[in-house]
Amino acid sequence: MEKILEVSGLSKIFGKGCAHCIESTGPGFDTNICPHCGSVVAAHDLSFDLHRGEILGIMGESGSGKSTAVKNLYFDQLPSGGTARFFDPDFKDDTAHGRAQWDVFGLNAAERRWLRNHRFGMVYQNPTLGLNFGISAGGNIAERLLMSGLANYGGIRERAIELLRRTEVLTERMDEKPGSFSGGMQQRVQIAKALATQPPLLFLDEVTTGLDLSVQAAILDLILEIQRELHTAMIVVTHDLGVVRLLTSRVLVMKYGRVIESGLTDQILEDPQHPYTQRLVASAL
Amino acid sequence: MGYVAIKGGGQAIAGAEQVLEALRAAEGEQGEPLALSAIEHQLRYLHGRVLSEGGLYHPELAALAIKQTQGDTLEAAFALRAYRSTRPRVAGPAPVDTTTMRIIRRISSSFKDIPGGQMLGPTFDYALRLMRMELVNEDPEHFRSIAARFFAHQAQGGKLDSIPDSFPKVLDALREEGLLAPAPRGRETQAFDITREPLIFPVSRSAALATMARGETGSLLAIAYSNMRGYGDVHPTIAEIRVGYLPVCMPHPHTGEMAEAGEVLMTECEVVAMYDADDEGGLPAFSLGYGACLGHNETKAISMAILDRSLQSGMKNGPTNPSEDPEFVLLHVDGVDSMGFANHYKMPHYVTFQSDMDRLRATQQKHAGGEA
Amino acid sequence: MSAYNFAFLDEYAKKEIRRAILKAVAIPGYQVPYASREMPMGRGFGTGGLQLTLSLIGPGETLKVIDQGSDDSVNAVNLRHFIELVCPGIHTTTHLSEADLIQSRHRIPEIPLVERQILSLQVPYPDALVVVEASEEKRKIMHGEADYSRLLVKLYEDIVKFDEITLSHRYPTRINGHYVIDPSPIPRWDVPKMHQSAALILLGAGREKKIYAVPPYTDAEPLAFEDVAFRVEDFTDKATGQRRTCQRCGATASFLDEFTDAHSGEKVYQCSDTDFCDSVLANPELRAYLHPALKPHVHTHAHDQEGI
């Protein structure tokens, strides 16, 4: 399988940081707040690879730092340290324009925006972050298509309908604003919007948390279908073991900003090594 | 079907001028033309407002501006500002230290008493707002003797000599005690000239202050008030308000030495706000807001000081309300810009309206067609 | 009062404005900030266009000033009077062919301008993105990256709701393939005239303190979708199916003012461009004249009419 993403030593500290931050925080200290300077070590030394078409899970409880990786990769935040390399499967031979490979954390603002708008997709737990509630559902998708250069109204409309159908949103409602939709439907619109530019890499940050169980199940099924059809690589952030079991082939378990265990999902769920992971698995309903 | 006259614009404008003049002289036989000195002295606060919003310290022309615009403060400030824009820029002046101000009023709400004492001076703050009916038919002779009697009374008892010309700054005492934030790093060494450079955001603090110093009083007051009432959290205490005459020094055209060219009446307000944690790990300290304008206009100086503080907060942490947003505040407080645009709507807009009608008719037709 | 400098502005002000103009011409469609001076007429009354004119005009040159297409509109009269007052030695005219510099509010003349002429347009809102983003700082980034997707979405939503792009004037127009400008409140009818114009077109916003330009022979394309074309105003009388004509000169293809006759109470249609109207009155063979830039747009429209 070809590699699409390589993250190495990603770290994020909120606050001014001091020499003792790393050595005084983590699972061994039961905190991610540095007792010396009060800074929060959200993530430290996070490293992983992702391959084309693969779904990687990052699992942990709140405060574990599980969202940190995707927030930094999608440029909602800037990291304190570490590197990431993105290998774009659709521009493999485009070394002339430098689009084959990207040093993700070394880009300028315009480059970051380009990647974010054209090659990555993001679905947030909170739909107000991923959708513009001032325009229609179709308009949300149109915005992303327009950013990618599509200039045909009929074509935009068709593609939006196709995407909404794919994500099982009632196309009769495409001209309504997302505010009038149920939570589950808003998430589906978000997914449709994220997929509009056919990104090879998709981030999903707790996308089913807070939704009714039946709605969750349907959305998880949808995500699997999309992966099968489009070979989109995904990073799924969740605290829910059920989601991990259903979607992911590999998983990282995080606690207080550190990865405490990683490996194949099946193995980790069957035979967890770390006591914390064991407790998590045992407590799953 | 006839030929529709589309001429006459010039005549209409001339006619408008004549009507305005006739209204100005509506008193007819009983009328006396307003003396410029009467405007400058008997309408002191109106005059000061126009000086500061016009952005030109020319007491005579400010009075003329009020006279010719029949008291419209926005128009008067505009006339003065338009005149200013034709004046050449002269080298200097140097920044002035306001401790050299020849003071007529100086108070602090932060302390019961301050070095030099609380000098109430001319203020309406504690006056009872009752109509002074005795002024309806004021006796001119009595009026003319008021000033002489006041000064004669002041000279008695020898108190005049004991009043110093100037007073130390209240903030200096706070500074010595370490209660004020130290001067920020990367501080500007030259004031931004808003008459020569456009505002490009983010702007420097001096650009923001200069914009507000010429700002329209009501506009500044409204936005500052929103912050006071709860949309913001400046929670100010006035460290000092001083009103007086500030000497302006310029390099002498021949010798190059600094010489006093004159003095300007101005108002200055320093406000102490909530204390801020220091970024570099030092002790927390009070933060400051500063307001200053030409003429005697305390409402404006106070509003400006509060907005200075809220804008600094907004620049540092991101704006959480309009008073902290530099674009919102600085682009909407200039009276000349805002009144010009508000009034421009009265100009002919029939071509754009024709275009609007075309669109609406087309849309209505489409809808009607769709339903048919 | 002491005498004013020629053209009212001091030489430094003129220098700054000329430099801003050069920069604007060098970067077509880019809004150049400048320290706009206060003028003796109100902000909103054309101080931007005026500062352009005052910085450019010289003795011996000929000026035309129009508002809503008319030389006699109150604001045009006022501006022309002021410019004559402070620029001794210039000529003024109502005839377009005689003018070197044309200052205009809300209209571009019906007869194409030639290379020696300069058009100075008065602008209230320089930035086409102001309808979707209030912060100037953010808009600058969007312009720099040619990211107009939010503006295009607005057009999309219009078509969804009304089956039409409902923008009437201030139609966003892309210059030289990059910057999208607000062409000032000219009607859609006048936008095609900016495309490949022989004359330099300058746009001045006095209150907003920006100058921008459409240089000669530069592409100016109104934003549209491939399949939803840009449309100009339609002067067809719905009752008769005939294109309305000017009641005064008989022109059959000019932009018309619609108003009610003060005496008869009837609806009247007359050329908005009064100089053009005078020309047609004197030369009736010009009755069917249509600006070449408009030909594709008017024909397209006729096709649509047939399709209904």
Side-chain angles (χ1 to χ4, degrees):
Chain A
M1 276 200 292
E2 355 161 352
K3 210 184 281 189
I4 192 174
L5 187 65
E6 201 177 81
V7 174
S8 195
L10 170 59
S11 73
K12 178 68 185 167
I13 297 181
F14 293 97
K16 51 185 188 288
C18 70
H20 308 284
C21 283
I22 307 300
E23 66 205 27
S24 339
T25 58
F29 299 87
D30 237 17
T31 182
N32 56 10
I33 302 176
C34 174
H36 298 270
C37 66
S39 303
V40 176
V41 180
H44 174 68
D45 204 20
L46 189 46
S47 302
F48 59 87
D49 289 344
L50 184 65
H51 301 87
R52 185 128 198 247
E54 190 183 8
I55 303 185
L56 173 73
I58 304 182
M59 181 175 76
E61 298 179 310
S62 58
S64 61
K66 61 185 183 300
S67 290
T68 302
V70 303
K71 282 188 179 149
N72 282 276
L73 288 166
Y74 197 60
F75 310 117
D76 281 342
Q77 289 173 4
L78 292 175
S80 311
T83 58
R85 219 182 279 283
F86 168 58
F87 305 92
D88 197 329
D90 301 325
F91 290 91
K92 265 187 297 200
D93 305 312
D94 191 5
T95 42
H97 292 114
R99 288 199 197 170
Q101 226 188 85
W102 299 79
D103 167 22
V104 179
F105 298 140
L107 303 175
N108 64 38
E111 288 166 330
R112 290 200 291 265
R113 260 189 291 276
W114 190 85
L115 272 186
R116 192 183 147 106
N117 292 335
H118 293 87
R119 308 309 292 148
F120 297 165
M122 170 71 131
V123 184
Y124 295 92
Q125 179 183 355
N126 182 349
T128 62
L129 293 175
L131 296 177
N132 181 340
F133 276 52
I135 58 184
S136 66
N140 268 278
I141 297 173
E143 190 177 334
R144 220 150 145 87
L145 292 170
L146 286 162
M147 250 189 252
S148 71
L150 192 53
N152 187 295
Y153 174 78
I156 288 169
R157 205 98 174 118
E158 255 177 57
R159 179 104 181 96
I161 290 172
E162 192 191 307
L163 285 160
L164 290 170
R165 217 175 263 149
R166 194 72 210 69
T167 54
E168 286 161 48
V169 175
L170 297 168
T171 52
E172 303 87 73
R173 299 192 70 187
M174 75 181 286
D175 299 327
E176 290 174 39
K177 294 192 182 147
S180 62
F181 293 1
S182 68
M185 185 97 67
Q186 287 173 352
Q187 290 305 68
R188 291 172 187 281
V189 176
Q190 253 206 101
I191 293 170
K193 180 176 179 175
L195 292 175
T197 51
Q198 294 177 310
L201 181 51
L202 189 60
F203 305 115
L204 299 126
D205 192 351
E206 302 254 39
V207 301
T208 52
T209 304
L211 297 174
D212 290 339
L213 285 179
S214 58
V215 174
Q216 284 194 34
I219 290 182
L220 293 172
D221 278 343
L222 171 63
I223 293 171
L224 274 177
E225 279 171 30
I226 287 166
Q227 182 232 15
R228 269 182 227 127
E229 225 176 286
L230 303 174
H231 300 292
T232 315
M234 303 185 194
I235 299 179
V236 173
V237 174
T238 183
H239 65 273
D240 187 330
L241 273 167
V243 171
V244 169
R245 186 191 308 271
L246 188 62
L247 292 185
T248 71
S249 53
R250 284 192 302 122
V251 66
L252 307 175
V253 182
M254 291 185 71
K255 188 176 206 278
Y256 290 124
R258 307 323 196 256
V259 176
I260 55 160
E261 190 159 1
S262 67
L264 297 174
T265 303
D266 291 339
Q267 278 181 0
I268 295 209
L269 294 181
E270 285 305 302
D271 186 22
Q273 297 299 303
H274 195 282
Y276 173 69
T277 322
Q278 290 166 351
R279 276 205 306 282
L280 271 184
V281 172
S283 59
L285 295 163
Chain B
M1 154 172 147
Y3 164 62
V4 177
I6 45 173
K7 308 224 171 278
Q11 283 173 23
I13 292 175
E17 274 179 42
Q18 287 159 25
V19 168
L20 278 173
E21 272 296 275
L23 282 173
R24 190 170 72 83
E27 291 167 283
E29 294 298 306
Q30 274 75 51
E32 286 286 335
L34 272 178
L36 296 187
S37 69
I39 294 174
E40 186 182 340
H41 297 283
Q42 297 183 50
L43 300 176
R44 231 165 55 83
Y45 292 95
L46 169 60
H47 184 258
R49 186 164 160 159
V50 169
L51 274 178
S52 104
E53 290 173 19
L56 180 69
Y57 195 83
H58 196 313
E60 195 184 21
L61 284 187
L64 176 59
I66 292 169
K67 177 173 178 172
Q68 76 186 46
T69 61
Q70 300 175 38
D72 184 331
T73 56
L74 293 167
E75 286 287 347
F78 180 16
L80 196 58
R81 188 89 74 81
Y83 177 79
R84 191 215 63 75
S85 88
T86 67
R87 299 293 88 202
R89 251 274 177 260
V90 180
V96 195
D97 182 352
T98 51
T99 54
T100 60
M101 191 191 284
R102 197 162 61 79
I103 287 188
I104 66 172
R105 171 165 155 75
R106 181 263 199 159
I107 52 129
S108 171
S109 354
S110 316
F111 297 98
K112 185 164 177 178
D113 207 355
I114 41 182
Q118 302 267 18
M119 305 298 239
L120 216 53
T123 176
F124 286 108
D125 290 343
Y126 304 103
L128 299 175
R129 272 69 163 189
L130 299 170
M131 299 302 267
R132 290 181 58 196
M133 296 312 206
E134 75 273 15
L135 292 182
V136 172
N137 290 308
E138 195 172 12
D139 172 44
E141 258 193 59
H142 178 260
F143 174 75
R144 283 181 213 120
S145 66
I146 295 174
R149 275 187 284 117
F150 172 79
F151 284 115
H153 178 77
Q154 294 287 300
Q156 285 169 12
K159 274 191 268 159
L160 276 178
D161 293 328
S162 66
I163 301 174
D165 280 338
S166 193
F167 302 81
K169 283 286 189 81
V170 171
L171 280 183
D172 285 341
L174 288 175
R175 207 165 265 130
E176 262 162 59
E177 213 189 306
L179 292 174
L180 288 188
R185 275 187 295 159
R187 182 181 199 190
E188 299 172 71
T189 49
Q190 242 194 327
F192 186 93
D193 188 345
I194 58 168
T195 68
R196 289 295 179 273
E197 303 278 341
L199 286 184
I200 300 175
F201 291 89
V203 297
S204 61
R205 190 173 173 205
S206 70
L209 287 170
T211 304
M212 290 196 283
R214 291 201 311 190
E216 201 269 323
T217 303
S219 313
L220 288 165
L221 176 58
I223 305 177
Y225 182 50
S226 77
N227 184 294
M228 292 174 218
R229 270 196 77 247
Y231 276 91
D233 61 355
V234 173
H235 301 305
T237 306
I238 292 181
E240 183 162 356
I241 280 192
R242 49 175 63 195
V243 182
Y245 295 89
L246 190 69
V248 176
C249 294
M250 311 268 303
H252 191 281
H254 299 310
T255 66
E257 274 174 38
M258 294 307 267
E260 187 179 314
E263 50 180 24
V264 297
L265 173 66
M266 62 164 289
T267 309
E268 184 194 56
C269 175
E270 285 168 313
V271 141
V272 170
M274 293 272 278
Y275 56 84
D276 231 345
D278 180 33
D279 282 332
E280 276 107 65
L283 296 171
F286 282 127
S287 53
L288 288 182
Y290 184 85
C293 58
L294 295 173
H296 187 170
N297 192 338
E298 295 172 36
T299 305
K300 178 165 167 173
I302 295 170
S303 302
M304 216 178 124
I306 287 171
L307 288 174
D308 173 44
R309 187 65 216 111
S310 65
L311 287 179
Q312 283 181 72
S313 182
M315 298 267 284
K316 187 167 151 207
N317 306 320
T320 59
N321 62 72
S323 71
E324 291 179 1
D325 182 346
E327 280 193 38
F328 187 88
V329 174
L330 301 176
L331 293 178
H332 300 119
V333 294
D334 188 85
V336 173
D337 283 353
S338 57
M339 75 74 109
F341 203 51
N343 284 283
H344 107 287
Y345 285 107
K346 294 175 281 184
M347 279 216 288
H349 280 80
Y350 52 82
V351 165
T352 51
F353 193 60
Q354 180 70 53
S355 198
D356 287 341
M357 284 198 286
D358 172 86
R359 283 291 83 193
L360 180 58
R361 284 170 179 156
T363 308
Q364 281 186 346
Q365 199 182 33
K366 273 237 164 87
H367 272 240
E371 274 145 26
Chain C
M1 204 110 84
S2 49
Y4 286 103
N5 192 28
F6 178 84
F8 186 78
L9 296 171
D10 62 88
E11 291 304 309
Y12 292 105
K14 286 188 209 168
K15 193 167 166 180
E16 182 190 351
I17 291 168
R18 290 171 191 153
R19 281 177 156 174
I21 291 172
L22 288 173
K23 187 164 179 179
V25 170
I27 316 174
Y30 171 73
Q31 300 165 57
V32 182
Y34 75 111
S36 169
R37 304 299 197 265
E38 287 88 359
M39 298 274 103
M41 52 284 298
R43 289 287 195 215
F45 287 69
T47 59
L50 180 61
Q51 285 175 84
L52 288 174
T53 297
L54 293 174
S55 306
L56 293 174
I57 203 159
E61 289 177 325
T62 306
L63 171 73
K64 174 178 162 81
V65 183
I66 49 173
D67 183 338
Q68 313 293 292
S70 167
D71 303 84
D72 198 53
S73 183
V74 266
N75 200 49
V77 168
N78 206 26
L79 284 167
R80 189 168 53 244
H81 175 66
F82 172 71
I83 299 169
E84 280 175 307
L85 199 64
V86 298
C87 299
I90 66 163
H91 310 294
T92 60
T93 182
T94 60
H95 299 300
L96 181 64
S97 53
E98 290 172 9
D100 299 307
L101 183 54
I102 301 108
Q103 182 173 331
S104 171
R105 176 170 173 265
H106 297 189
R107 289 266 15 238
I108 298 182
E110 301 292 1
I111 305 277
L113 302 177
V114 297
E115 280 182 6
R116 76 159 210 290
Q117 295 175 315
I118 296 179
L119 176 65
S120 151
L121 289 173
Q122 299 173 203
V123 179
Y125 304 97
D127 201 329
L129 286 172
V130 80
V131 291
V132 295
E133 176 54 65
S135 159
E136 183 166 326
E137 236 185 301
K138 294 195 185 132
R139 294 198 301 264
K140 271 188 93 164
I141 296 174
M142 289 161 81
H143 279 296
E145 294 177 5
D147 175 14
Y148 298 106
S149 50
R150 283 169 65 191
L151 188 54
L152 287 162
V153 171
K154 198 155 184 1
L155 300 187
Y156 163 92
E157 296 274 278
D158 247 8
I159 302 171
V160 167
K161 235 196 270 182
F162 300 110
D163 223 13
E164 288 275 326
I165 293 175
T166 59
L167 299 177
S168 57
H169 51 280
R170 290 179 56 206
Y171 198 96
T173 304
R174 193 183 297 265
I175 307 302
N176 203 36
H178 186 115
Y179 291 103
V180 172
I181 63 166
D182 182 322
S184 85
I186 54 176
R188 279 166 290 126
W189 184 262
D190 287 342
V191 172
K193 297 172 185 168
M194 297 184 117
H195 181 71
Q196 295 291 325
S197 156
L200 167 63
I201 301 173
L202 297 174
L203 299 103
R207 184 183 48 87
E208 292 287 341
K209 306 168 182 54
K210 302 282 193 308
I211 288 172
Y212 49 114
V214 183
Y217 304 115
T218 303
D219 287 342
E221 295 151 312
L223 291 189
F225 294 91
E226 283 163 10
D227 53 338
V228 181
F230 166 78
R231 305 236 279 199
V232 297
E233 286 83 358
D234 173 16
F235 291 98
T236 308
D237 181 348
K238 299 295 177 282
T240 64
Q242 295 296 315
R243 209 272 192 191
R244 296 189 201 282
T245 62
C246 171
Q247 202 153 38
R248 183 172 176 257
C249 72
T252 60
S254 67
F255 188 91
L256 300 172
D257 290 333
E258 175 188 322
F259 54 95
T260 310
D261 186 297
H263 300 291
S264 69
E266 280 172 21
K267 243 197 209 161
V268 171
Y269 295 87
Q270 278 189 8
C271 292
S272 149
D273 184 340
T274 56
D275 176 50
F276 177 73
C277 201
D278 286 341
S279 303
V280 176
L281 210 55
N283 305 291
E285 69 272 13
L286 286 173
R287 265 197 199 134
Y289 185 82
L290 181 66
H291 192 297
L294 278 166
K295 290 210 169 92
H297 299 276
V298 173
H299 274 172
T300 311
H301 203 66
H303 270 261
D304 285 329
Q305 289 291 86
E306 283 157 35
I308 291 173

